[in-house]
Amino acid sequence: MSEKQLDLLYSEVEEELRASVRALLEDKSPASSVLARVETDQVTDTALWKELADVGAAGLPVPEELGGAGASLRESAVVAEELGRAVAPVPFLGSAVLATAALQACGTEAAAELEALAAGESTAALTVPLAAMPGAAFPEDVRARDGRLEGTVRNVADALTADTLVVAASGPDGPGLYVVAADEARITPVVTLDLTRPLAEVSLEGAAGRRVAAGADAEKALRRALVAGAAVLSAEQLGVAQWALDATVDYVKTRTQFGRPIGSFQAIKHRLADLWVAVSQSRAVVRSAASAVAAAQEPGAGDAERTEAEVNASLAQAFVSGVAVTAAEEAVQLHGGIGFTWEHPVHLYLKRAKSDALALGTADRHRLALSGLVDLPAPTA
Amino acid sequence: MTTAPAGASLDAPALRQRVADFVAEHDPATTDQREFLAARFDAGLAWVHFPEGEGGLGAPRALQSVVDEEFERLGYTPVGREGLVIGLGMAAPTILAFGTSEQRARYLKPLYTGEEVWCQLFSEPGAGSDLAALGTRAVRDGDGWTVTGQKVWTSLAHRADFAILVARTDPDVPKHKGITYFICDMSTDGVDVRALRQITGEAEFNEVYLNDVRIPDTQRLGDEGEGWRVAQTTLMNERVSIGGYPEPREGGLIAVVSHIWRTRPELRTPGLHDALMRLWVDAEAARLTKERLRQQLAIGQPGPEGSAAKFSFSRLNQEISGLELEMLGGEGLTYDDWTFRRPEGVEMAKRSAGFRYLRSKGNSIEGGTSEILRNIIAERVLGLPAEPRVDKDVAWKDLPK
Ligand SMILES: Cc1cc2nc3c(=O)[nH]c(=O)nc-3n(C[C@H](O)[C@H](O)[C@H](O)COP(=O)(O)OP(=O)(O)OC[C@H]3O[C@@H](n4cnc5c(N)ncnc54)[C@H](O)[C@@H]3O)c2cc1C
């Protein structure tokens, strides 16, 4: 099996983007304000999102002629890392990644929507359950008939603040992707395990939708959006894991018990060394996934590139999901009692890590998908 | 052969060109391997970061992988080099860093061509992980030294012409300070090599007794009492040389179990499938991490990931070889050959699943145990405090043994 060697490093441009996003988040969204915000009924920080859009985060992969940065998923992944590190409550995944990727895959049909998204003037949500697995059968929750949509989708990310919904619906003439104005839908918040990523139930009762992709094109667009989402989500998981590791290393250096810093006990050192190895490996895997998905989105990319993107995205979810959860769980444990409190932000990371591990396909489902992709088939009964 | 610039100004395309020119002049198909390697050494394409005349071109270290890849692409990969890992991976960089010009001229070339085999006389019955506790004595004796002691777990001592050796030259100072580093000629009187049969039934390694072995002072590497510092170079290279080479997807032991899975559908069960996919994912993550490290090195930004490569490699080998036996079921109850043998090197791919399972147990012990590697990552990479030291300022002779 041969595969092209992907660039696994960060470019200078990416490092600059990271620095500006990090600086903005440290200033405008420190852990204390995220903590305060999750107890209000406006969890999503729309003001912060506007500022992130101003540094280009909203339209990274959108072409320049539509007002985007003309960058690639590699840059989006760097932003996702920083957002994960800060558990920032902004509609990046739902709007700038999932909905944007779906609309981009629809060609010129959705140019107006893309332009508005890239400018940060509006946000969108891809109306599928956040747990949707890339490559699963096209959803049937919403039915389309004569441009009218009917049905309910649970656990949709970033729908509460969205202006536009990108709805996957099936009808008499097969699958389709539809653009729907959010005020045509009934959007009800859900109480979520992850306090920092609001989910909603979206009910459509005869809402008017404009079809932007039909049939096989709609299926492909949805699949590509979810694959891109899985790759970028792994970068967010890396950010979560890196924060958990860094915070814990800092803590065990200063916390003293039995007359010495707890970080000098080998039982603790070895666990953190293992975690560091896993986080380093995650970084290579995440960069590989982002690069592979970016390569598949280049003009001229073919089936080989798309398969490589799916292999890498599934690999990333299969590997990094577990690392992020372990990192957050270790962080809670090694912080002792303080790690179990509401005041300490570590619980926000645990909740995000565990929820992310269920989002866009569990590790187990991705391993199964991977087994098909790399010809290691599951046993037949 | 060529007048292109040498040294630090060399880049990857220039080196690829040099390899192409070299192969054009020395047809690998018709040249004897040893002659070919000797010519490659003389052309500076053995270790490109070594100085000119000593096997290299003074080029950046990261470019060595470019040269190796290019030789491989042109269809030339040296064979039968399993027995040379210690010479190539550890002795050579140490001799380069600390050797005199006479020592470099004497040892590097035959070491590279495989004419002379090396082994490592470091570990002792009382000093493994705590290598600095070693007790083999070297006493000054005219223009040389007399060495007495016992080494153990010495891989390939039975085939070796030379050894890198650490010995205690001053027992009255703390343990790290009184050590000196030598090159030992294994044919010297008093060097007594005894096979030590291992878990696999064969004997890669040995006990080595040193009975009043004479070593001329010209074979000292580095200053008297500086042996610990010299040994650090060896140990660092040892860890990097295990598992630092870039490989394709399914390049390691994972290829073996993947092949079994693809060709033997009757062995498939859901539980094995899950285990296989987990390990496939782990193997790919480890591979990408090495590849990322290689890319960092190539642009001159080495990352600390190198210290994790050997550690991940041993865990993977152990888990994969364990799974292989389970996959094989009843067949896994058998073994290929318990005959007492003295192999030329480690033959993972050529042997049975049982051999792979047993041999991989050594991967987390040889070249620094996994526990010691975790200590290194925790202290040097994460900056966690060291364990409290009870032996720091105590003379070696007063330490509990
Ligand atoms: C296949 C093989 C080939 C080898 N080849 C060579 C060779 O060619 N030349 C050579 O010189 N040596 C060789 N060795 C020796 C090898 O380097 C040592 O075995 C190794 O360093 C461990 O030392 P030890 O065996 O004395 O174990 P010990 O140091 O006694 O360790 C026993 C256990 O205690 C653990 N331990 C020790 N110290 C600590 C600590 N501070 N914290 C936590 N745990 C600790 C270890 O990890 C291990 O699990 C070889 C070993 C093997 C298995």
Side-chain angles (χ1 to χ4, degrees):
Chain A
M1 190 177 307
S2 81
E3 76 294 338
K4 197 166 146 279
Q5 213 40 81
L6 298 161
D7 177 5
L8 304 181
L9 306 180
Y10 298 104
S11 70
E12 259 174 58
V13 174
E14 286 165 346
E15 290 294 8
E16 281 163 24
L17 178 64
R18 177 201 299 289
S20 58
V21 171
R22 183 177 295 188
L24 186 61
L25 291 171
E26 279 171 357
D27 186 26
K28 298 289 161 61
S29 191
S32 54
S33 65
V34 178
L35 255 176
R37 181 169 277 284
V38 297
E39 288 193 276
T40 68
D41 49 14
Q42 178 51 281
V43 171
T44 300
D45 191 340
T46 46
L48 176 64
W49 180 241
K50 282 255 164 345
E51 295 200 51
L52 281 162
D54 287 345
V55 302
L60 282 170
V62 177
E64 282 168 4
E65 56 273 23
L66 294 178
S72 76
L73 249 287
R74 283 173 51 91
E75 285 79 7
S76 299
V78 171
V79 172
E81 263 184 55
E82 291 305 310
L83 296 175
R85 232 176 128 264
V87 283
V90 290
F92 181 75
L93 183 69
S95 181
V97 178
L98 291 170
T100 299
L103 292 174
Q104 269 192 284
C106 297
T108 52
E109 291 291 329
E113 280 81 9
L114 279 174
E115 222 164 332
L117 291 180
E121 284 162 9
S122 73
T123 69
L126 180 63
T127 309
V128 295
L130 181 59
M133 173 71 197
F138 200 83
E140 304 259 337
D141 304 331
V142 181
R143 311 291 305 170
R145 186 177 289 274
D146 305 329
R148 294 280 160 187
L149 305 175
E150 192 81 45
T152 298
V153 187
R154 297 212 162 72
N155 299 339
V156 179
D158 298 324
L160 283 171
T161 46
D163 306 289
T164 306
L165 302 175
V166 181
V167 182
S170 299
D173 40 348
L177 278 187
Y178 295 79
V179 169
V180 178
D183 48 22
E184 293 264 321
R186 190 147 48 79
I187 303 178
T188 323
V190 172
V191 179
T192 51
L193 173 65
D194 174 5
L195 295 160
T196 61
R197 173 168 284 138
L199 300 177
E201 184 176 288
V202 176
S203 284
L204 300 158
E205 290 149 6
R210 188 174 105 252
R211 191 165 70 180
V212 290
D217 289 343
E219 283 177 324
K220 261 190 233 152
L222 180 63
R223 185 177 183 128
R224 280 191 217 169
L226 294 175
V227 169
V232 175
L233 180 66
S234 74
E236 177 183 306
Q237 291 168 316
L238 169 61
V240 169
Q242 186 74 60
W243 180 90
L245 173 62
D246 292 347
T248 309
V249 167
D250 287 348
Y251 184 70
V252 303
K253 279 180 191 168
T254 52
R255 173 71 176 167
T256 299
Q257 294 290 332
F258 302 97
R260 52 195 254 214
I262 55 172
S264 69
F265 291 104
Q266 204 179 54
I268 290 177
K269 284 159 87 164
H270 282 195
R271 284 162 69 168
L272 291 172
D274 284 346
L275 200 52
W276 177 82
V277 171
V279 172
S280 309
Q281 294 188 323
S282 298
R283 178 161 292 105
V285 168
V286 163
R287 283 275 87 192
S288 185
S291 300
V293 173
Q297 292 179 345
E298 295 265 313
D303 285 347
E305 283 77 14
R306 276 190 286 278
T307 303
E308 217 17 58
E310 293 189 9
V311 167
N312 276 279
S314 277
L315 177 79
Q317 280 305 312
F319 189 79
V320 188
S321 288
V323 174
V325 171
T326 304
E329 289 178 348
E330 288 287 76
V332 170
Q333 174 65 20
L334 297 180
H335 277 79
I338 191 116
F340 199 67
T341 64
W342 188 269
E343 291 102 286
H344 195 285
V346 67
H347 66 97
L348 297 177
Y349 289 84
L350 177 67
K351 292 163 187 171
R352 173 69 75 91
K354 194 67 192 175
S355 301
D356 278 359
L358 312 178
L360 301 175
T362 57
D364 182 50
R365 285 179 191 280
H366 280 284
R367 282 193 294 271
L368 198 59
L370 204 47
S371 77
L373 290 164
V374 302
D375 183 31
L376 293 168
T380 45
Chain B
M1 191 180 70
T2 165
T3 51
S9 60
L10 277 170
D11 58 7
L15 276 171
R16 282 201 198 94
Q17 188 55 49
R18 275 186 188 241
V19 174
D21 292 346
F22 178 82
V23 172
E25 263 181 54
H26 303 82
D27 181 2
T30 54
T31 316
D32 163 74
Q33 168 157 305
R34 204 156 272 175
E35 276 172 41
F36 184 89
L37 288 171
R40 181 173 160 182
F41 181 95
D42 293 336
L45 295 170
W47 304 285
V48 292
H49 55 291
F50 279 31
E52 275 186 277
E54 292 174 5
L57 297 164
R61 184 188 181 117
L63 292 175
Q64 182 61 35
S65 65
V66 172
V67 170
D68 293 340
E69 274 165 21
E70 194 62 10
F71 272 109
E72 203 171 311
R73 202 178 64 75
L74 295 171
Y76 186 74
T77 327
V79 292
R81 312 271 282 171
E82 297 94 346
L84 305 180
V85 271
I86 293 172
L88 294 170
M90 291 126 81
T94 313
I95 293 170
L96 174 73
F98 291 95
T100 60
S101 52
E102 290 79 18
Q103 288 168 338
R104 304 209 297 248
R106 164 65 188 83
Y107 296 113
L108 289 178
K109 190 166 172 180
L111 178 162
Y112 179 72
T113 62
E115 213 164 307
E116 288 172 354
V117 174
W118 287 67
C119 68
Q120 181 191 28
L121 292 169
F122 278 26
S123 304
E124 298 182 6
S129 298
D130 187 8
L131 176 61
L134 61 93
T136 291
R137 283 283 277 143
V139 180
R140 215 181 244 287
D141 176 6
D143 58 356
W145 301 79
T146 298
V147 182
T148 311
Q150 187 200 340
K151 296 288 176 175
V152 75
W153 326 127
T154 317
S155 303
L156 293 162
H158 53 290
R159 285 187 58 210
D161 302 288
F162 291 96
I164 42 180
L165 163 74
V166 278
R168 185 155 309 279
T169 43
D170 186 353
D172 298 319
V173 293
K175 63 181 182 182
H176 291 93
K177 295 192 175 147
I179 297 172
T180 303
Y181 198 119
F182 299 96
I183 293 170
C184 174
D185 181 337
M186 292 295 283
S187 65
T188 316
D189 286 347
V191 176
D192 178 9
V193 176
R194 301 183 197 170
L196 196 51
R197 200 172 185 196
Q198 64 203 42
I199 198 166
T200 54
E202 60 180 29
E204 275 166 58
F205 57 35
N206 305 271
E207 294 179 289
V208 179
Y209 291 84
L210 302 162
N211 304 310
D212 295 331
V213 174
R214 278 280 302 163
I215 298 185
D217 194 51
T218 50
Q219 280 174 218
R220 176 168 44 78
L221 208 52
D223 292 338
E224 184 178 344
E226 282 292 300
W228 184 247
R229 202 160 69 84
V230 184
Q232 287 307 306
T233 298
T234 311
L235 297 176
M236 206 185 69
N237 279 286
E238 177 171 23
R239 288 190 288 267
V240 174
S241 73
I242 307 180
Y245 196 74
E247 43 178 46
R249 183 175 288 164
E250 287 190 13
L253 275 196
I254 195 71
V256 176
V257 280
S258 297
H259 179 73
I260 296 174
W261 189 265
R262 290 188 184 113
T263 52
R264 312 257 326 253
E266 77 280 8
L267 299 176
R268 296 174 190 167
T269 70
L272 288 173
H273 189 243
D274 186 52
L276 171 66
M277 290 317 299
R278 282 174 192 274
L279 288 173
W280 197 94
V281 165
D282 287 352
E284 183 65 2
R287 179 186 79 81
L288 288 169
T289 308
K290 271 195 291 181
E291 175 56 27
R292 184 160 196 271
L293 179 67
R294 193 191 65 79
Q295 293 182 7
Q296 283 177 318
L297 281 169
I299 58 163
Q301 294 176 351
E305 284 85 352
S307 38
K310 194 249 159 187
F311 173 77
S312 313
F313 157 89
S314 15
R315 186 155 63 191
L316 266 173
N317 272 5
Q318 293 175 351
E319 291 183 8
I320 294 171
S321 59
L323 176 67
E324 187 187 354
L325 279 177
E326 284 180 42
M327 224 181 236
L328 292 174
E331 284 166 54
L333 295 171
T334 63
Y335 193 72
D336 56 353
D337 185 6
W338 288 115
T339 315
F340 182 80
R341 307 187 313 142
R342 313 241 51 204
E344 306 267 296
V346 187
E347 300 171 324
M348 280 293 205
K350 295 182 204 148
R351 297 288 303 271
S352 66
F355 176 86
R356 280 189 279 279
Y357 175 72
L358 295 173
R359 180 60 184 82
S360 66
K361 295 293 172 256
N363 293 155
S364 53
I365 302 171
E366 62 194 335
T369 68
S370 291
E371 288 73 26
I372 296 301
L373 290 178
R374 283 190 180 96
N375 284 350
I376 291 174
I377 293 168
E379 290 174 19
R380 305 208 193 135
V381 181
L382 298 177
L384 294 175
E387 299 279 310
R389 293 281 292 273
V390 293
D391 55 359
K392 195 152 183 278
D393 300 314
V394 185
W396 174 82
K397 65 175 171 27
D398 301 323
L399 287 173
K401 304 239 164 44

